[in-house]
Amino acid sequence: MKKIAFSIWQLKPVKWLRRIRGFKLVYTPLIAIVLFTVVMGVIMGTLQLQEKSQQEAALFRELSFAKQRIQLRFANNTDVLQSIGRDYVGAGESAKLKDNAIIQAENLLQSNHEIAQIVWINESNERQWRIPPDNLKTDWFNKVNNAGVINQALKKTLELSAATNRPAFSQFIALEVPSDELISKEIRNVFWQTVPQISGTEIKGMVAVLYTTQGLLEMIPGELKGQYRFTLITDDDKVLAISSDKNTPKRAFSNQTSLDIGVLSPNLSLRIDTYPPPTNLTFRMLIGVVLGLSAFVIWSLWSVLKQMQVRQEAEANLRAETNFRSAMENSTPVGIRAHDMNKMITYVNPAFCEMTGWSADELIGLSPPFAFWPEGQKTELTEKMNQALKLALSQDKKLGIEGSILHRNGSIIQTRTFISPLINEKGKQTGWVTSLIDISEPKKIREELAASQERFITVLEGLDAAVSVVSNETGDLLFANRFYRERFGDTAKGHFDLAGGDIKQNILQALAEGAPPSSLYQETESEEIQLLDESKGTSKWYEVRRRFVPWVDGHLAQLLIATDITIRIEADDLARQQEERMQFSSRLTTMGEMASSLAHELNQPLAAISNYCMGVAKRLQGNLDPVMQKDILPALEKASDQAHRAGTIIQRIKGFVKRSEPQRKSCDISEIINDAVGLVEIEAHRHRLSIATEIAENLPTVDVDPVLILQVLVNLLKNSLDSLREVYPLSSRWSAPPVRIAADLDTSTFPAMLRIQVTDTGAGIAESVIERMFEPFFSTKNDGMGMGLNICRSVIESHQGRLWAKNHMDAEHTKLTGCTFTILLPLEAPGSEGKS
């Protein structure tokens, strides 16, 4: 037991010595750096403290000296002022003695720059004289903004001296002087001193002196002001005067003392600040040499330490890198082998041995053709390898070559080989490194994917719908099937037309409306889009469904499927038109039934009205005054004719609804127009409107149904009157132009046709209305049936004529100023030549 303990004790010193040696090698430079830095810091700190104490002592001496100079100057000035006051008071009525006293005051002012003004005030507090009388300083004292403050301070000081019978001082007075004035700094702050002249117990007068605070600093010698900055401050740290505007260093020394310039003086302090002292070249050279040597030693020791650390880190990194590369080569499934310049194998990793079934000892030293190459491919693989070795140095991007490896158990492995030159530390090539990847499984998967892709493309190409994919980033067409290419070509224009604009704008709009980003991947509701086929000039309808999908490169793309539904839309339109025709036929049938009922019900009352009118007319013939007979009988005959005409109109409408031909006869169109005007003119006069007729001379007769044509003209005239009523209010209708109805021959057609035009200056007809106003049951009036213009056009067309409307614009083409309805009727009825 003792032997074991003894052996352990013997081992401990050896172990500790090794530790100390390692510690000494690594940390000795660091300890030396720390010790040297501490020693130099102590030395420099001691020197700095010593220099600081010397500067503070010198600063206190200079401050005391400056304080004594200022206080002594004030004491001397006070004595001189008292002497001047005594001489002036003692002169009595002697002008010469008084002038001598004033000359003494002038000498005092010239020899003391701190004094700005001297004033003598007699026992009645009146100013008898002042020195100097007028100059640049006194002008500013007399300014409105400054005179009141100066006089008020002088008054208080005089009262204080009178109360104490002693020299007194005023508070400091801040004058308003622009900073750009030359004497602004000199007279900005001033104060008064009053020295009373006492004779017995009475004050015979006072000498008042106006001091400038900046002038007090002139008492300090210039050599001191060159080394230090002196500042006069009050108790509240207000700066009254400063010897220099030059800033002191951040670490400058400063000291401050109270300045007693008199018994009744305001509190005043004098502060001194140091400027950088003149350079001590020897001392600074010594400090520079010491610092330079210290820096060099520290840099040398630090360099040794860093080199040792770099070496240790390099060794550690090398071990880690070696271990990492070994682990990576042993764990990677990629086979690696190295060749020398003669193509002989010099190294293989475990993965390559596993691929071939051969050991590393068996593979190292082999040369091509290798034993692990299949027998039938050795020549081909040798040529591929030689070609790859030649191209390996010139290729920036390494391209692999496909080959095969024969496993020792007889199985074939498909591989892809990459070759790179092997360069040593001197930059010289010593061989080649090849890496092999087993691509048997990926190649099989790729072949299956290719077959699946081919089947998928075949299905898409066979669809009777347009399928397209467009990139959201670039807007390029990424995929389009056969149907899309046939309809829209090989560009993305058709996709954007079907999608309704820019893809990015659609995305931003959807997100701005609060849609979550996940909703972009959901399929949108189907939309029906109409596009114009420019090649054929026809419109096509498509049912569009779209959604956003991630494309193979990871970017967002839009998938769109458009199905041609033109046939379905056309079928729906045809069905809707058939439905409208059925409704129209039903309405016409109902209207025919209503016309038959009206004709049956109204014929008898109308016949009775006609008979009563004719009976009254016959009974009145011969029984009335001829004058009254001339007025009444024509009116009764016209009433009978109109009742007969009303019955005829109803019969004609009934016959027209039953699609019977008009009952034509040769008519004078002027008579029909005059009858129509006569029927409507009563209503026109009731609304304060008028109708003007313009009928060309020698118009030929036409074969028409006069009752139907009369009804058409009455309807058009009433519409024109209604248009004028909307534009012109009742109070201004006297200025409304009349509705014009004109008849002439239109010779612009062949053969010539009879033209009837009804023109008004109303509001015109809106473009949206003018296209549909001849449709059945379309009306802009609240109580209208929508059959008037439709019946009018049908009547004109049954006479093989035409009816249309045209608006009129003002000279500036800014608003509508009326409308004209034009009727064209053939002069001869169709088939009249054959009958003759």
Side-chain angles (χ1 to χ4, degrees):
M1 190 70 181
K2 290 182 179 180
K3 291 183 179 181
I4 295 173
F6 179 74
S7 61
I8 294 175
W9 182 84
Q10 284 183 335
L11 291 175
K12 282 185 177 180
V14 177
K15 185 176 181 181
W16 281 106
L17 285 175
R18 290 178 180 176
R19 289 188 176 182
I20 292 172
R21 183 181 300 172
F23 175 83
K24 183 177 180 181
L25 291 174
V26 176
Y27 295 103
T28 299
L30 181 60
I31 295 175
I33 291 172
V34 172
L35 291 176
F36 184 82
T37 304
V38 171
V39 172
M40 294 306 301
V42 171
I43 293 173
M44 298 302 296
T46 303
L47 293 175
Q48 184 70 20
L49 290 176
Q50 184 178 0
E51 183 180 4
K52 180 180 179 180
S53 62
Q54 292 176 356
Q55 290 182 355
E56 289 178 348
L59 191 69
F60 179 75
R61 289 195 302 271
E62 302 298 345
L63 180 62
S64 299
F65 176 74
K67 176 181 177 181
Q68 291 176 2
R69 286 288 298 266
I70 296 173
Q71 291 178 348
L72 182 59
R73 175 68 68 85
F74 267 95
N76 292 335
N77 290 345
T78 303
D79 294 340
V80 172
L81 292 172
Q82 287 179 346
S83 176
I84 293 172
R86 283 194 303 269
D87 293 344
Y88 191 82
V89 172
E93 298 298 329
S94 176
K96 183 177 180 180
L97 295 178
K98 289 184 178 181
D99 290 339
N100 291 334
I102 293 174
I103 291 172
Q104 293 180 15
E106 290 178 351
N107 294 333
L108 178 64
L109 178 67
Q110 292 177 359
S111 61
N112 293 275
H113 298 290
E114 69 274 11
I115 298 177
Q117 194 176 33
I118 301 176
V119 181
W120 172 256
I121 301 173
N122 60 13
E123 59 271 17
S124 300
N125 287 334
E126 295 178 352
R127 299 185 185 186
Q128 290 187 344
W129 52 266
R130 66 177 182 180
I131 300 173
D134 290 305
N135 61 10
L136 187 60
K137 294 181 182 179
T138 57
D139 289 342
W140 283 104
F141 299 155
N142 297 327
K143 298 288 184 180
V144 177
N145 297 334
N146 299 327
V149 180
I150 291 177
N151 295 332
Q152 184 68 23
L154 178 59
K155 181 179 179 181
K156 292 182 178 179
T157 310
L158 292 173
E159 293 175 355
L160 181 61
S161 291
T164 59
N165 294 330
R166 306 181 68 174
F169 294 85
S170 70
Q171 297 297 322
F172 298 104
I173 308 168
L175 302 184
E176 295 184 8
V177 183
S179 59
D180 55 351
E181 289 291 332
L182 295 177
I183 64 171
S184 171
K185 179 180 177 182
E186 183 178 350
I187 64 173
R188 188 173 298 277
N189 294 288
V190 298
F191 64 96
W192 288 100
Q193 181 187 14
T194 57
V195 180
Q197 299 301 320
I198 303 173
S199 177
T201 59
E202 295 181 357
I203 297 177
K204 298 300 183 178
M206 291 190 187
V207 179
V209 181
L210 184 64
Y211 284 98
T212 63
T213 57
Q214 189 66 34
L216 300 183
L217 298 181
E218 298 296 329
M219 303 176 186
I220 302 173
E223 60 271 14
L224 288 183
K225 291 191 290 184
Q227 296 179 3
Y228 305 97
R229 186 180 71 179
F230 292 90
T231 308
L232 290 176
I233 58 178
T234 60
D235 290 342
D236 54 355
D237 292 335
K238 178 183 178 182
V239 176
L240 298 176
I242 190 168
S243 62
S244 175
D245 293 333
K246 185 170 67 173
N247 294 327
T248 58
K250 294 182 179 179
R251 297 183 179 181
F253 297 105
S254 63
N255 203 338
Q256 182 173 325
T257 183
S258 61
L259 192 61
D260 185 10
I261 59 177
V263 177
L264 299 178
S265 64
N267 295 330
L268 182 66
S269 298
L270 178 64
R271 188 175 67 194
I272 185 172
D273 298 293
T274 61
Y275 288 122
T279 304
N280 189 343
L281 184 60
T282 304
F283 179 73
R284 294 193 178 278
M285 287 181 61
L286 178 61
I287 292 178
V289 171
V290 172
L291 292 177
L293 292 176
S294 301
F296 178 74
V297 172
I298 292 173
W299 177 79
S300 301
L301 294 176
W302 185 258
S303 300
V304 173
L305 179 60
K306 293 299 293 182
Q307 289 179 1
M308 294 178 62
Q309 291 179 347
V310 169
R311 181 178 177 182
Q312 291 177 351
E313 289 177 0
E315 292 177 354
N317 292 336
L318 180 60
R319 289 192 298 269
E321 184 71 19
T322 303
N323 296 334
F324 175 75
R325 288 183 176 274
S326 299
M328 184 176 62
E329 291 177 0
N330 293 333
S331 62
T332 181
V334 178
I336 301 175
R337 70 172 186 260
H339 302 263
D340 58 12
M341 296 302 293
N342 297 322
K343 306 174 187 176
M344 184 176 64
I345 297 177
T346 58
Y347 169 80
V348 292
N349 69 335
F352 186 79
C353 296
E354 186 177 353
M355 284 183 182
T356 59
W358 296 55
S359 64
D361 296 334
E362 293 173 332
L363 293 172
I364 293 176
L366 295 180
S367 298
F370 299 114
F372 48 80
W373 283 351
E375 285 296 332
Q377 301 180 13
K378 287 186 176 182
T379 304
E380 179 185 357
L381 292 175
T382 301
E383 293 178 357
K384 283 185 177 182
M385 182 177 180
N386 294 334
Q387 185 177 3
L389 293 177
K390 293 179 182 180
L391 297 176
L393 292 174
S394 61
Q395 291 179 347
D396 294 335
K397 184 178 181 181
K398 303 302 179 183
L399 301 176
I401 56 174
E402 292 190 4
S404 302
I405 288 181
L406 178 63
H407 195 272
R408 204 161 193 174
N409 59 9
S411 60
I412 301 295
I413 301 175
Q414 301 294 329
T415 62
R416 181 178 294 276
T417 304
F418 299 89
I419 302 177
S420 297
L422 181 61
I423 309 299
N424 62 7
E425 70 279 2
K426 297 180 180 179
K428 182 179 179 181
Q429 182 181 357
T430 59
W432 309 89
V433 175
T434 60
S435 57
L436 292 83
I437 302 175
D438 186 356
I439 61 171
S440 300
E441 190 66 23
K443 190 173 183 180
K444 181 180 178 181
I445 294 174
R446 189 164 55 250
E447 292 174 353
E448 293 177 354
L449 286 176
S452 176
Q453 178 73 8
E454 185 177 357
R455 292 192 297 270
F456 180 70
I457 294 297
T458 302
V459 172
L460 288 180
E461 291 292 334
L463 289 177
D464 288 334
V467 181
S468 59
V469 180
V470 170
S471 172
N472 181 39
E473 299 291 333
T474 62
D476 296 334
L477 184 65
L478 303 177
F479 174 79
N481 67 341
R482 174 191 56 80
F483 190 90
Y484 180 91
R485 294 192 299 271
E486 291 177 353
R487 293 293 180 93
F488 306 104
D490 297 330
T491 65
K493 182 178 182 301
H495 183 102
F496 289 125
D497 292 340
L498 293 170
D502 189 6
I503 300 176
K504 292 183 179 180
Q505 292 181 356
N506 294 339
I507 294 177
L508 295 176
Q509 182 179 0
L511 296 177
E513 292 176 355
S518 59
S519 64
L520 297 177
Y521 295 98
Q522 299 177 1
E523 183 177 350
T524 61
E525 296 182 359
S526 60
E527 302 178 44
E528 293 183 357
I529 304 296
Q530 184 182 17
L531 295 181
L532 177 64
D533 190 350
E534 297 179 356
S535 60
K536 299 180 180 179
T538 58
S539 295
K540 295 289 185 180
W541 284 90
Y542 296 92
E543 183 180 8
V544 179
R545 296 186 302 275
R546 49 194 170 89
R547 63 178 298 184
F548 288 95
V549 295
W551 195 239
V552 293
D553 57 357
H555 291 90
L556 194 65
Q558 188 184 55
L559 169 65
L560 186 143
I561 302 175
T563 305
D564 189 349
I565 59 172
T566 305
I567 297 177
R568 190 184 76 189
I569 294 295
E570 292 177 351
D572 293 343
D573 290 342
L574 182 60
R576 186 173 60 255
Q577 293 174 7
Q578 293 293 341
E579 180 68 21
E580 291 177 356
R581 291 193 187 97
M582 290 177 64
Q583 293 179 3
F584 177 64
S585 300
S586 176
R587 291 181 181 180
L588 288 180
T589 302
T590 304
M591 192 171 182
E593 294 174 356
M594 292 171 60
S596 299
S597 299
L598 287 173
H600 178 73
E601 296 294 335
L602 295 178
N603 273 335
Q604 292 182 359
L606 289 174
I609 292 171
S610 178
N611 293 333
Y612 284 137
C613 289
M614 293 304 297
V616 172
K618 288 181 180 180
R619 295 188 65 179
L620 291 176
Q621 288 179 358
N623 297 326
L624 289 178
D625 184 25
V627 178
M628 295 183 64
Q629 185 176 352
K630 183 179 179 181
D631 293 336
I632 296 175
L633 291 180
L636 292 174
E637 291 176 357
K638 286 184 179 181
S640 177
D641 293 340
Q642 293 304 323
H644 179 70
R645 188 185 300 275
T648 307
I649 289 172
I650 294 174
Q651 293 296 331
R652 290 290 186 270
I653 293 175
K654 178 181 178 182
F656 176 73
V657 172
K658 293 182 178 180
R659 298 184 182 272
S660 59
E661 289 295 325
Q663 298 180 7
R664 298 174 182 269
K665 64 180 179 179
S666 181
C667 300
D668 185 359
I669 195 64
S670 60
E671 295 181 359
I672 299 176
I673 292 176
N674 291 331
D675 291 343
V677 172
L679 290 175
V680 181
E681 200 167 22
I682 298 174
E683 183 179 358
H685 290 165
R686 183 165 57 89
H687 294 291
R688 300 183 183 179
L689 297 173
S690 60
I691 302 174
T693 304
E694 297 177 2
I695 302 175
E697 297 179 356
N698 301 322
L699 290 178
T701 59
V702 290
D703 290 335
V704 295
D705 188 326
V707 177
L708 294 181
I709 297 300
L710 176 63
Q711 185 63 28
V712 170
L713 296 179
V714 169
N715 197 353
L716 296 180
L717 288 172
K718 285 185 176 181
N719 287 341
S720 296
L721 291 175
D722 292 340
S723 180
L724 283 177
R725 288 168 56 193
E726 294 177 359
V727 175
Y728 293 93
L730 184 62
S731 60
S732 62
R733 286 179 186 169
W734 59 270
S735 62
V739 176
R740 299 185 180 276
I741 179 168
D744 59 359
L745 289 179
D746 184 8
T747 57
S748 62
T749 61
F750 183 80
M753 300 182 73
L754 176 65
R755 178 171 56 190
I756 303 173
Q757 291 182 318
V758 179
T759 304
D760 64 76
T761 57
I765 304 173
E767 293 296 330
S768 59
V769 175
I770 204 169
E771 296 177 355
R772 300 186 56 194
M773 64 181 182
F774 292 108
E775 296 180 3
F777 306 107
F778 177 81
S779 177
T780 59
K781 300 178 181 178
N782 296 331
D783 55 351
M785 294 181 60
M787 293 301 296
L789 290 177
N790 176 260
I791 293 176
C792 290
R793 172 173 276 188
S794 300
V795 168
I796 299 301
E797 289 177 352
S798 67
H799 287 77
Q800 285 74 44
R802 294 172 54 201
L803 171 62
W804 72 89
K806 181 180 179 182
N807 284 318
H808 300 298
M809 303 290 291
D810 59 356
E812 290 79 12
H813 293 275
T814 57
K815 66 177 182 178
L816 299 176
T817 59
C819 179
T820 296
F821 282 86
T822 303
I823 300 173
L824 289 181
L825 293 172
L827 296 176
E828 296 183 359
S832 60
E833 295 180 356
K835 292 179 182 180
S836 62

